[in-house]
Amino acid sequence: WMKISYKKLWILLAEKEMSKQDFREKLQIASGTMTKLNKGLEVSMSVILRICEYFDCNICDICDAVKSE
């Protein structure tokens, strides 16, 4: 069983000194989607791609598939 981890995204935000609120507003991410990101739940690929476009990075730079225990 695999799950998604957005740990790299949170590290990226910290490195860029961007709050989660600023991130949500700048990328126009819905509050429900932000809740999913915070809980490590799956979000749509379009959201992932929007994040990648904003930070000029690849998908593997913001999330990982990890084995669930």
Side-chain angles (χ1 to χ4, degrees):
W1 183 259
M2 299 293 281
K3 67 176 192 169
I4 195 93
S5 168
Y6 300 105
K7 186 177 181 180
K8 290 180 179 179
L9 173 59
W10 309 134
I11 291 169
L12 181 64
L13 289 184
E15 288 173 348
K16 299 210 177 270
E17 298 180 357
M18 179 184 274
S19 71
K20 286 184 179 182
Q21 182 64 31
D22 285 344
F23 165 73
R24 189 175 87 73
E25 289 172 3
K26 285 186 175 157
L27 278 82
Q28 299 180 335
I29 293 174
S31 58
T33 302
M34 195 66 196
T35 299
K36 287 182 178 183
L37 287 169
N38 282 318
K39 291 183 176 183
L41 302 174
E42 294 171 21
V43 298
S44 71
M45 187 58 72
S46 63
V47 171
I48 298 291
L49 293 174
R50 198 169 356 136
I51 295 168
C52 289
E53 183 176 9
Y54 182 83
F55 289 115
D56 192 26
C57 67
N58 206 320
I59 293 171
C60 62
D61 296 325
I62 60 167
C63 62
D64 281 315
V66 294
K67 284 196 173 180
S68 181
E69 296 181 17

